[in-house]
Amino acid sequence: MNELTLSEVRWEQFNIIDVFEIKNGFYNKKPISDEINPRVPFLGATKDNNAITSYLTIKDIENNSKTGSGNNAKIESKYFKPPCLSVANNGSYVGATFYQAHPFTCSHDVNLLYLKEQKLTENIALFLIPCIEKQRVCFKYSRKWRPKRMVKSSIMLPVTAEGSVDFNFMEKYIQNKLNSKKKVKQEFIEKYYGDLSYKKLPAIDEKLWKPFKLVEIFETVQRGKRLKKADHVDGDIPYVSSSGINNGVNNFICNEDKVRIFENCISIANSGSVGSAFYHSHKFVASDHVTHLKNETFTKYIYMFLCSVLSQLNSKYNFNREINDHRIARETLLLPIDQKGRPDYEYMDQYMKNKFINQTKNIKS
């Protein structure tokens, strides 16, 4: 089959009820499990974690009723088999759709869709999800997408020459996308990590560790400079502040005057997400809420090892106790040492290389 684009394939409108069997979730009071090691996912009306909001056991599900006590229902109406799609019909994320590949239970805020004439593979599910979520604009918290409304809803889908739903196209289209993504990952790995070689090392808990002054480890310890939000000029230079996510980046700017620009170093948050540490290989503008730590002799792998060590400092600090210049000058880091009692940078470097090698094996497979 020649690879078609979405615009080249023919699309037609179908009633959702003609393509899927629509099942209701179970109208219940969300149970709290007292059992050991609950494993059955409980799905709710959320956009995160594949709609999973907790885990239960079969016993929990069997005992659970509409109100949490009183008349019960058969387990077949509460425990659902895969494969299917779950669609939130209530809450702030009406229409949020996920592929369910394992048995689960759910609330009545979730509709379940089972394909009628085709096995729902993961690839087909990945194609169908955005098609279903296109309908989100028609619903909201005050206009729920309950099954009674869903049976009247429609969906646009690719079709064959005969006019039937083209599941074969969906399967191949997604597989081509996944293959392309995998190829990009492999090219990235070969470019940036292809020269890495694995060396057997002592386990991390077999090494001797010793405290060192932070200012002895890093040649340069300097705080960033304040730049008010109103003075930000849109650009492509990362602006790093005290965020604990996205490598500390919370904007992209082009300011170069009256700012401090660093690169190939670590940033550690002084306030906000205090202690969050990230390695930056490229230039960035540092706010006054972070301090940059640099040693010209360090490789990126040593920096990344030290980020993990530095992040342990967040247990000592919080919103009311920030990392100021005085405190960071007195701070110590516990590091693995060599036979002479010095920081074992060679070990740190190879340890992180081994980690990357192990991770990339999974991507290549």
Side-chain angles (χ1 to χ4, degrees), residues 294-350:
K294 188 175 180 69
N295 186 318
E296 294 286 356
T297 66
F298 287 172
T299 66
K300 63 181 178 182
Y301 301 104
I302 295 173
Y303 275 129
M304 284 186 279
F305 186 99
L306 291 171
C307 279
S308 296
V309 176
L310 286 160
S311 293
Q312 302 304 309
L313 296 178
N314 61 17
S315 62
K316 298 172 59 176
Y317 299 95
N318 53 44
F319 185 78
N320 296 316
R321 188 172 190 268
E322 300 181 351
I323 303 178
N324 57 35
D325 293 344
H326 178 66
R327 286 174 179 149
I328 205 168
R330 295 184 302 161
E331 195 56 73
T332 59
L333 302 178
L334 196 62
L335 300 176
I337 58 174
D338 59 21
Q339 293 180 345
K340 295 183 179 179
R342 299 173 300 194
D344 196 342
Y345 296 122
E346 186 176 337
Y347 175 86
M348 300 179 208
D349 181 81
Q350 188 61 51

Side-chain angles (χ1 to χ4, degrees), residues 3-9 11 169 173:
E3 185 176 348
L4 295 176
T5 65
L6 294 179
S7 60
E8 291 173 327
V9 72
W11 294 72
F169 170 79
Y173 179 84

